[in-house]
Amino acid sequence: MSAALGRHFARLVTNAVVRRPLLWRLFRAPLRTQFDRLAPRWDAMRGPEHLDPLEAALAALRLSPARVLDVGTGTGDAAAAVARRFPQADVVGVDLSAAMVETARGKHPGLRFEQADASRLPFEDGAFDLVVLANAIPFFDELRRVVAPGGWVVFSFSFGPGTPIYVERGRLERELSRRGFMEFADFSAGRGTALAAKLQ
Ligand SMILES: C[S@@+](CC[C@H](N)C(=O)[O-])C[C@H]1O[C@@H](n2cnc3c(N)ncnc32)[C@H](O)[C@@H]1O
């Protein structure tokens, strides 16, 4: 699959799954194959600014989380950014792609990475004070389940609406509000955007 086709496929899957999470069963295997293939060159495909919107959100929120999850961690850079900002926190990054997880472990030996599907996370209810998703497909019911009361979720998109895996802001707020999130806060950095929300 060419890079352009891969980006279109990622957007198609994101749009489909956000609206109809049950469709994930059709897309899981091909998307995992796509990211397994991309893992060796993933870092070369991104600029140094790709996490700027996430960093902007984390800097502004003034949190002190003890337990943090990075969903769709890829090569682990968002998890590493979170660990640098909150050195007291226990940080874990999860990804569907075994090749991404292996790469993340090699790059960030002090951090914990696990292969897991965001649609069925291997964590207890309320296990995290903060969950971050950098350019990752959200599964809202699972997010709601693993965030602790009073905890936060932060979505970031490196190129705003131009990001291949992107969820429109209104959709994010609607899906989160209906699951008890509130206190929405928007951030931007260059072309990148982020949205944070707090669980009641
Ligand atoms: C666009 S990449 C983003 C990687 C990284 N967060 C970054 O910003 O560089 C999306 C990542 O999500 C992973 N992914 C896709 N669907 C997933 C799922 N259901 N559960 C866990 N990870 C998933 C992919 O394997 C890929 O590594």
Side-chain angles (χ1 to χ4, degrees):
M1 194 184 292
S2 72
L5 200 58
R7 286 194 290 273
H8 285 301
F9 182 62
R11 174 65 70 96
L12 181 149
V13 173
T14 304
N15 288 340
V17 165
V18 162
R19 285 161 183 75
R20 298 260 184 281
L22 284 178
L23 290 175
W24 176 237
R25 69 184 71 172
L26 300 178
F27 294 121
R28 187 177 188 276
L31 203 75
R32 184 174 54 191
T33 302
Q34 178 182 343
F35 281 108
D36 276 343
R37 289 194 180 127
L38 286 173
R41 55 199 162 95
W42 184 250
D43 287 348
M45 293 167 61
R46 302 167 315 159
E49 73 294 347
H50 81 284
L51 291 177
D52 286 357
L54 176 67
E55 296 272 22
L58 297 179
L61 287 171
R62 299 180 178 279
L63 309 175
S64 50
R67 306 156 300 166
V68 185
L69 172 66
D70 176 25
V71 175
T73 193
T75 58
D77 289 357
V82 168
R84 277 194 301 275
R85 187 166 292 278
F86 309 118
Q88 81 292 349
D90 178 20
V91 180
V92 58
V94 298
D95 203 282
L96 182 66
S97 154
M100 287 288 194
V101 169
E102 197 180 317
T103 307
R105 285 178 179 150
K107 274 179 74 181
H108 308 289
L111 293 180
R112 185 156 59 99
F113 295 99
E114 295 179 17
Q115 186 181 11
D117 186 338
S119 73
R120 217 171 47 180
L121 290 165
F123 304 110
E124 295 189 351
D125 297 0
F128 299 99
D129 309 303
L130 171 65
V131 178
V132 301
L133 298 92
N135 311 306
I137 302 172
F139 289 84
F140 294 102
D141 288 340
E142 272 300 81
L143 276 178
R144 165 68 184 82
R145 187 182 70 72
V146 300
V147 175
W152 288 81
V153 61
V154 179
F155 299 83
S156 74
F157 303 102
S158 297
F159 309 106
T163 314
I165 291 182
Y166 175 76
V167 183
E168 186 243 325
R169 193 219 177 276
R171 164 74 63 174
L172 284 178
E173 181 164 347
R174 281 196 303 282
E175 298 288 352
L176 292 167
S177 299
R178 118 176 14 143
R179 290 169 176 85
F181 286 86
M182 53 181 195
E183 287 191 38
F184 294 92
D186 291 279
F187 305 91
S188 64
R191 291 167 58 203
T193 56
L195 176 70
K198 184 179 183 182
L199 186 59
Q200 273 174 351

Short mmCIF file of all heavy atoms in Angstrom, two decimals, residues 24 31 35 42 46 50-51 70-74 94-97 100 116-119 134-137 139 165, ligand 1:
data_model
loop_
_atom_site.label_atom_id
_atom_site.label_comp_id
_atom_site.label_asym_id
_atom_site.label_seq_id
_atom_site.Cartn_x
_atom_site.Cartn_y
_atom_site.Cartn_z
N TRP A 24 -15.02 -2.19 13.78
CA TRP A 24 -13.59 -2.39 14.06
C TRP A 24 -13.15 -3.81 13.75
O TRP A 24 -12.02 -4.05 13.31
CB TRP A 24 -13.29 -2.01 15.51
CG TRP A 24 -11.88 -2.27 15.94
CD1 TRP A 24 -11.47 -3.04 16.98
CD2 TRP A 24 -10.68 -1.75 15.34
NE1 TRP A 24 -10.11 -3.04 17.07
CE2 TRP A 24 -9.59 -2.25 16.08
CE3 TRP A 24 -10.42 -0.91 14.27
CZ2 TRP A 24 -8.26 -1.94 15.77
CZ3 TRP A 24 -9.09 -0.60 13.96
CH2 TRP A 24 -8.04 -1.12 14.71
N LEU A 31 -5.44 -2.91 9.51
CA LEU A 31 -4.77 -1.74 10.09
C LEU A 31 -3.52 -2.16 10.86
O LEU A 31 -2.48 -1.49 10.81
CB LEU A 31 -5.73 -0.96 10.99
CG LEU A 31 -5.32 0.50 11.17
CD1 LEU A 31 -5.62 1.33 9.93
CD2 LEU A 31 -6.00 1.13 12.37
N PHE A 35 0.34 -0.84 10.15
CA PHE A 35 1.26 -0.21 11.11
C PHE A 35 2.46 -1.10 11.42
O PHE A 35 3.54 -0.58 11.72
CB PHE A 35 0.51 0.23 12.36
CG PHE A 35 -0.23 1.52 12.13
CD1 PHE A 35 -1.61 1.56 12.03
CD2 PHE A 35 0.46 2.72 11.95
CE1 PHE A 35 -2.29 2.75 11.78
CE2 PHE A 35 -0.21 3.92 11.70
CZ PHE A 35 -1.59 3.94 11.61
N TRP A 42 8.58 4.71 10.84
CA TRP A 42 7.60 5.66 11.39
C TRP A 42 8.26 6.97 11.83
O TRP A 42 7.79 8.05 11.51
CB TRP A 42 6.85 5.01 12.56
CG TRP A 42 5.78 5.89 13.10
CD1 TRP A 42 5.76 6.54 14.29
CD2 TRP A 42 4.55 6.23 12.44
NE1 TRP A 42 4.60 7.28 14.42
CE2 TRP A 42 3.84 7.11 13.30
CE3 TRP A 42 3.98 5.89 11.20
CZ2 TRP A 42 2.60 7.63 12.96
CZ3 TRP A 42 2.75 6.42 10.86
CH2 TRP A 42 2.08 7.28 11.74
N ARG A 46 7.86 11.52 10.43
CA ARG A 46 7.25 12.60 11.21
C ARG A 46 8.28 13.67 11.53
O ARG A 46 9.48 13.41 11.62
CB ARG A 46 6.72 12.06 12.54
CG ARG A 46 5.71 10.96 12.38
CD ARG A 46 5.50 10.28 13.69
NE ARG A 46 6.78 10.04 14.33
CZ ARG A 46 6.95 9.83 15.61
NH1 ARG A 46 5.92 9.83 16.40
NH2 ARG A 46 8.14 9.61 16.11
N HIS A 50 5.61 16.98 15.97
CA HIS A 50 4.34 16.24 15.90
C HIS A 50 3.64 16.13 17.25
O HIS A 50 2.43 15.92 17.29
CB HIS A 50 4.53 14.87 15.23
CG HIS A 50 5.07 13.81 16.14
ND1 HIS A 50 6.39 13.74 16.51
CD2 HIS A 50 4.45 12.78 16.74
CE1 HIS A 50 6.56 12.70 17.30
NE2 HIS A 50 5.41 12.10 17.46
N LEU A 51 4.37 16.27 18.34
CA LEU A 51 3.72 16.19 19.65
C LEU A 51 3.50 17.56 20.29
O LEU A 51 3.07 17.64 21.45
CB LEU A 51 4.53 15.29 20.59
CG LEU A 51 4.52 13.80 20.21
CD1 LEU A 51 5.41 13.01 21.14
CD2 LEU A 51 3.10 13.24 20.21
N ASP A 70 -0.89 5.84 27.46
CA ASP A 70 -0.79 6.40 26.10
C ASP A 70 -1.35 5.36 25.14
O ASP A 70 -0.76 4.29 24.96
CB ASP A 70 0.68 6.72 25.78
CG ASP A 70 0.87 7.21 24.35
OD1 ASP A 70 -0.10 7.75 23.77
OD2 ASP A 70 1.99 7.05 23.82
N VAL A 71 -2.49 5.66 24.54
CA VAL A 71 -3.17 4.72 23.65
C VAL A 71 -2.70 4.95 22.21
O VAL A 71 -2.67 6.08 21.74
CB VAL A 71 -4.71 4.93 23.73
CG1 VAL A 71 -5.42 4.04 22.71
CG2 VAL A 71 -5.22 4.65 25.13
N GLY A 72 -2.37 3.86 21.51
CA GLY A 72 -1.86 4.00 20.14
C GLY A 72 -0.50 4.67 20.17
O GLY A 72 -0.23 5.59 19.42
N THR A 73 0.35 4.15 21.04
CA THR A 73 1.62 4.82 21.34
C THR A 73 2.61 4.83 20.18
O THR A 73 3.52 5.64 20.14
CB THR A 73 2.26 4.16 22.59
OG1 THR A 73 3.31 4.97 23.08
CG2 THR A 73 2.79 2.76 22.29
N GLY A 74 2.43 3.92 19.21
CA GLY A 74 3.38 3.87 18.09
C GLY A 74 4.78 3.58 18.61
O GLY A 74 5.00 2.61 19.35
N VAL A 94 0.36 1.60 25.01
CA VAL A 94 -0.14 0.38 24.36
C VAL A 94 -0.32 0.63 22.86
O VAL A 94 -0.64 1.74 22.43
CB VAL A 94 -1.49 -0.11 24.95
CG1 VAL A 94 -1.33 -0.48 26.41
CG2 VAL A 94 -2.61 0.91 24.76
N ASP A 95 -0.12 -0.43 22.11
CA ASP A 95 -0.33 -0.34 20.67
C ASP A 95 -0.77 -1.70 20.15
O ASP A 95 -0.36 -2.74 20.66
CB ASP A 95 0.94 0.12 19.95
CG ASP A 95 0.63 0.74 18.60
OD1 ASP A 95 0.37 -0.03 17.64
OD2 ASP A 95 0.60 1.98 18.50
N LEU A 96 -1.58 -1.65 19.11
CA LEU A 96 -2.06 -2.85 18.44
C LEU A 96 -0.94 -3.58 17.70
O LEU A 96 -0.95 -4.81 17.57
CB LEU A 96 -3.13 -2.41 17.43
CG LEU A 96 -3.86 -3.45 16.61
CD1 LEU A 96 -4.72 -4.31 17.52
CD2 LEU A 96 -4.72 -2.76 15.56
N SER A 97 0.01 -2.82 17.21
CA SER A 97 1.06 -3.36 16.34
C SER A 97 2.25 -3.86 17.17
O SER A 97 2.88 -3.09 17.90
CB SER A 97 1.52 -2.25 15.38
OG SER A 97 2.84 -2.47 14.95
N MET A 100 5.41 -1.94 16.34
CA MET A 100 5.48 -0.62 16.99
C MET A 100 5.91 -0.80 18.45
O MET A 100 6.78 -0.05 18.95
CB MET A 100 4.12 0.08 16.93
CG MET A 100 3.75 0.61 15.56
SD MET A 100 4.75 2.07 15.10
CE MET A 100 3.81 2.67 13.70
N ALA A 116 -1.70 -4.16 22.91
CA ALA A 116 -3.10 -4.24 23.34
C ALA A 116 -3.97 -3.47 22.36
O ALA A 116 -3.50 -2.56 21.67
CB ALA A 116 -3.27 -3.65 24.74
N ASP A 117 -5.23 -3.86 22.33
CA ASP A 117 -6.22 -3.23 21.44
C ASP A 117 -7.01 -2.22 22.25
O ASP A 117 -7.59 -2.55 23.29
CB ASP A 117 -7.14 -4.33 20.88
CG ASP A 117 -8.11 -3.80 19.84
OD1 ASP A 117 -8.39 -2.59 19.82
OD2 ASP A 117 -8.60 -4.64 19.06
N ALA A 118 -7.05 -0.98 21.76
CA ALA A 118 -7.76 0.10 22.46
C ALA A 118 -9.25 -0.18 22.61
O ALA A 118 -9.92 0.44 23.44
CB ALA A 118 -7.56 1.41 21.71
N SER A 119 -9.78 -1.11 21.81
CA SER A 119 -11.20 -1.42 21.92
C SER A 119 -11.47 -2.39 23.07
O SER A 119 -12.63 -2.63 23.42
CB SER A 119 -11.72 -2.01 20.61
OG SER A 119 -11.26 -3.34 20.45
N ALA A 134 -2.37 10.37 20.94
CA ALA A 134 -1.75 11.24 19.94
C ALA A 134 -1.98 10.60 18.58
O ALA A 134 -1.42 9.53 18.30
CB ALA A 134 -0.25 11.40 20.21
N ASN A 135 -2.83 11.18 17.78
CA ASN A 135 -3.10 10.67 16.44
C ASN A 135 -3.60 9.22 16.50
O ASN A 135 -3.13 8.37 15.73
CB ASN A 135 -1.83 10.75 15.58
CG ASN A 135 -1.18 12.12 15.65
OD1 ASN A 135 -1.84 13.12 15.39
ND2 ASN A 135 0.08 12.18 16.03
N ALA A 136 -4.49 8.96 17.43
CA ALA A 136 -4.95 7.58 17.63
C ALA A 136 -6.48 7.52 17.57
O ALA A 136 -7.17 8.48 17.90
CB ALA A 136 -4.46 7.06 18.98
N ILE A 137 -6.97 6.35 17.16
CA ILE A 137 -8.42 6.16 17.02
C ILE A 137 -9.04 5.94 18.39
O ILE A 137 -8.64 5.01 19.11
CB ILE A 137 -8.72 4.93 16.12
CG1 ILE A 137 -8.09 5.11 14.75
CG2 ILE A 137 -10.23 4.72 16.00
CD1 ILE A 137 -8.18 3.86 13.86
N PHE A 139 -11.77 4.73 21.17
CA PHE A 139 -12.89 3.83 21.46
C PHE A 139 -13.47 4.37 22.76
O PHE A 139 -12.93 4.14 23.85
CB PHE A 139 -12.40 2.38 21.59
CG PHE A 139 -11.98 1.80 20.27
CD1 PHE A 139 -10.71 2.02 19.77
CD2 PHE A 139 -12.87 1.07 19.50
CE1 PHE A 139 -10.32 1.52 18.54
CE2 PHE A 139 -12.50 0.56 18.26
CZ PHE A 139 -11.22 0.79 17.78
N ILE A 165 -5.36 10.29 10.97
CA ILE A 165 -6.27 9.82 12.01
C ILE A 165 -6.72 11.06 12.78
O ILE A 165 -5.98 11.60 13.61
CB ILE A 165 -5.59 8.78 12.93
CG1 ILE A 165 -5.34 7.50 12.13
CG2 ILE A 165 -6.45 8.51 14.16
CD1 ILE A 165 -4.72 6.37 12.93
C1 LIG B 1 -0.98 7.37 13.54
S1 LIG B 1 -0.16 6.25 14.61
C2 LIG B 1 0.25 7.32 15.98
C3 LIG B 1 1.44 6.82 16.77
C4 LIG B 1 1.93 7.80 17.84
N1 LIG B 1 0.92 8.03 18.86
C5 LIG B 1 2.37 9.10 17.21
O1 LIG B 1 1.66 10.11 17.33
O2 LIG B 1 3.43 9.09 16.56
C6 LIG B 1 -1.52 5.31 15.25
C7 LIG B 1 -1.08 4.17 16.12
O3 LIG B 1 -2.24 3.58 16.70
C8 LIG B 1 -2.10 2.18 16.65
N2 LIG B 1 -3.46 1.61 16.72
C9 LIG B 1 -4.40 1.60 15.74
N3 LIG B 1 -5.52 1.03 16.21
C10 LIG B 1 -5.28 0.68 17.49
C11 LIG B 1 -6.03 0.01 18.50
N4 LIG B 1 -7.30 -0.39 18.30
N5 LIG B 1 -5.46 -0.22 19.69
C12 LIG B 1 -4.18 0.16 19.92
N6 LIG B 1 -3.41 0.79 19.01
C13 LIG B 1 -3.95 1.05 17.81
C14 LIG B 1 -1.34 1.89 15.38
O4 LIG B 1 -0.71 0.63 15.40
C15 LIG B 1 -0.36 3.07 15.35
O5 LIG B 1 0.85 2.75 15.98
#
